[in-house]
Amino acid sequence: MVDTGVLLDRAGLLLAQGRAKDAEVAAREVLAQEPYNDAALALLGRCAFELGHIPDGMGFIREALAIRPEASFYYYLLAYGHYQQEQYAPALEHLETAVGLQPYVAEYYGMQAFVLLAQRQWEAALEKANEGLALEADNLTSLNARSRALNKLRRTDDAMETMQDALAVDPHSELTHLTVAWNYLEKGRHRDAQHHFRETLRLNPNNDGARSGLKEALKSNVAPYRWLLQYSFWLHNKGKKWQTAAPIILYVLFRVVSGALGASESTKGLVWIPVSLYLLLVVTSWTIGPICNFVLLFHPLGKHAVTLSERWSAISVVSALVAGLALLGVAQVPSVAAAVPENVSLELAGILLLTIAFPLGEMVFPLRWKGLLRRQRAAMLLVALGLVSVLGALFAPVLVPIAVVYGIGFILYSWTGIFR
């Protein structure tokens, strides 16, 4: 029989090497001999975290805590599980308990800083990160949290200096490269961000944050997407109130400007400018993501970053846009217009196809109903109504009234979508 201490050391080493499944096997061997070994239960929880099974991992950690309630590290692990599930209040409570039990562990303060960052409490996060660094000057978690907080506070030079310090401590830290990459991306330096996202993926090919970030950085090669992404970062940093107010402010501004221009005979002809700009902003914000994903399908790196659902979403959105524009273009050809029956409307079909591109961008592929968010189900219903309306415009005029229902649904969907 293998000594449980040896098995635990082996499990810890395997986990450090990224071999979570092998580490899990070793930890279970320990528990088979000692069912109440809290260290083995905690290690099993960490393996579950690494494999993405957060609730299961938290269950193991709670079992370990029941056996050894004075272990501060277990509270830290429980806090990490809550953080991964975006349950920030209980995460902070468990971290406070961990600090109370053992106040000189820099990692606990670094984790507190990350939770506060998730709550957009930039100053408080910076304070906690600095507390961690006062205890351990080269603690990577605290360094990364400090860099992110400084970046959010627009203290760019300090953030860059902290990033360099973190890279000097461990140039092969995936967390540090990920932090550097997101900081660069938020500052609009998407090419620098791409380098560090790729380095993160080289160190850990399964890092979802790096894969998602690389995709955003690659899409930022397209200027309109880059501008919208910077606007998104700015809005996110402002908080939820601004996220709700910004679309309303933009709409009111559009109405004021267009109304002012339309009130005077000398400027009435310029009303099309704010109207066009506003429509361009709305259409771009809805479709630029799928369009950029479509472009990535032909990129040597991007095609591996796009998920199956994003792939089909991009293809469907671009197909709807191309088909809609094609129908509108064909409808302008005099010979075609003369040959089209009176009860067929190519223009209506084209417009409908263009609008269908909006909800298509929200749909999940392969198509299913269960497990979807409310807005995704609404998108499916809206696309179905839109396609029936297109068929009515082209082949069955009796179905055209459905286009009215679709139009009402589309307006409601668009307006609620602005605040998402």
Side-chain angles (χ1 to χ4, degrees):
M1 183 178 294
V2 181
D3 181 77
T4 54
V6 174
L7 280 173
L8 270 177
D9 289 341
R10 180 171 178 270
L13 181 62
L14 290 169
L15 185 59
Q17 294 173 342
R19 298 167 59 185
K21 290 186 177 180
D22 294 331
E24 180 183 356
V25 172
R28 290 190 182 280
E29 287 184 41
V30 175
L31 290 171
Q33 297 181 43
E34 300 176 8
Y36 299 103
N37 189 308
D38 61 282
L41 284 166
L43 208 148
L44 206 56
R46 291 169 61 197
C47 291
F49 286 168
E50 189 71 21
L51 294 169
H53 309 312
I54 306 299
D56 293 341
M58 294 176 70
F60 292 125
I61 303 301
R62 289 192 181 95
E63 289 184 48
L65 263 175
I67 297 168
R68 193 178 164 206
E70 74 282 2
S72 64
F73 182 59
Y74 298 166
Y75 286 100
Y76 165 81
L77 291 176
L78 205 55
Y80 177 80
H82 282 297
Y83 170 72
Q84 290 296 318
Q85 297 182 104
E86 300 182 2
Q87 299 166 353
Y88 304 128
L92 287 174
E93 288 178 14
H94 289 306
L95 286 167
E96 286 293 339
T97 303
V99 169
L101 290 168
Q102 201 166 352
Y104 302 111
V105 180
E107 189 70 20
Y108 298 169
Y109 295 94
M111 188 70 231
Q112 281 180 315
F114 267 99
V115 178
L116 291 167
L117 283 170
Q119 295 180 311
R120 300 186 180 94
Q121 298 183 42
W122 317 132
E123 292 285 0
L126 179 59
E127 183 180 337
K128 286 297 178 184
N130 286 337
E131 286 184 52
L133 292 171
L135 294 170
E136 184 184 336
D138 59 354
N139 179 262
L140 282 176
T141 303
S142 297
L143 281 169
N144 278 276
R146 183 174 191 273
S147 174
R148 295 189 187 192
L150 289 168
N151 200 51
K152 295 294 185 182
L153 291 167
R154 303 297 178 184
R155 293 168 57 180
T156 306
D157 291 340
D158 291 338
M160 294 293 292
E161 183 180 344
T162 303
M163 286 191 291
Q164 295 306 318
D165 290 343
L167 285 172
V169 171
D170 184 0
H172 304 295
S173 167
E174 63 176 280
L175 173 62
T176 301
H177 281 287
L178 188 61
T179 295
V180 172
W182 279 109
N183 282 355
Y184 275 138
L185 186 60
E186 187 165 344
K187 293 304 177 187
R189 296 172 58 177
H190 60 283
R191 298 191 189 281
D192 292 322
Q194 289 174 29
H195 167 74
H196 287 282
F197 280 130
R198 287 199 299 268
E199 184 64 16
T200 305
L201 289 170
R202 185 187 68 80
L203 295 165
N204 179 6
N206 298 317
N207 191 305
D208 290 332
R211 188 179 296 112
S212 173
L214 179 60
K215 185 165 53 186
E216 296 300 311
L218 290 171
K219 287 194 286 188
S220 293
N221 289 329
V222 180
Y225 190 88
R226 183 165 66 251
W227 301 332
L228 283 172
L229 185 62
Q230 293 305 306
Y231 169 72
S232 176
F233 278 130
W234 175 81
L235 207 57
H236 178 269
N237 293 340
K238 287 292 183 182
K240 291 184 178 180
K241 290 182 179 179
W242 264 96
Q243 290 176 25
T244 302
I248 298 174
I249 293 172
L250 281 174
Y251 180 73
V252 171
L253 183 63
F254 152 70
R255 295 290 299 179
V256 169
V257 173
S258 58
L261 290 174
S264 172
E265 288 295 331
S266 60
T267 58
K268 187 177 292 185
L270 300 177
V271 172
W272 67 271
I273 296 177
V275 172
S276 300
L277 289 174
Y278 184 75
L279 289 175
L280 180 63
L281 175 63
V282 172
V283 172
T284 302
S285 64
W286 276 93
T287 60
I288 192 64
I291 289 173
C292 286
N293 282 335
F294 185 81
V295 174
L296 288 186
L297 296 180
F298 306 95
H299 191 282
L301 284 176
K303 63 183 179 182
H304 300 296
V306 177
T307 65
L308 178 64
S309 181
E310 290 170 334
R311 178 186 301 269
W312 284 108
S313 175
I315 291 173
S316 63
V317 167
V318 171
S319 298
L321 292 173
V322 171
L325 291 172
L327 279 176
L328 288 175
V330 168
Q332 306 310 310
V333 179
S335 58
V336 174
V340 173
E342 290 185 3
N343 58 2
V344 173
S345 176
L346 295 180
E347 291 91 345
L348 177 60
I351 292 170
L352 287 169
L353 279 170
L354 290 176
T355 60
I356 286 173
F358 286 38
L360 275 172
E362 290 261 17
M363 285 177 56
V364 176
F365 295 87
L367 296 178
R368 63 178 187 276
W369 187 257
K370 290 185 178 180
L372 295 181
L373 299 175
R374 188 179 301 172
R375 70 172 185 271
Q376 293 167 337
R377 290 179 176 177
M380 288 182 66
L381 293 174
L382 201 58
V383 169
L385 280 173
L387 290 175
V388 172
S389 301
V390 171
L391 291 175
L394 293 176
F395 307 111
V398 70
L399 298 176
V400 169
I402 294 177
V404 178
V405 179
Y406 168 76
I408 295 171
F410 178 77
I411 292 171
L412 293 173
Y413 182 81
S414 301
W415 267 102
T416 56
I418 289 174
F419 299 100
R420 285 199 292 270

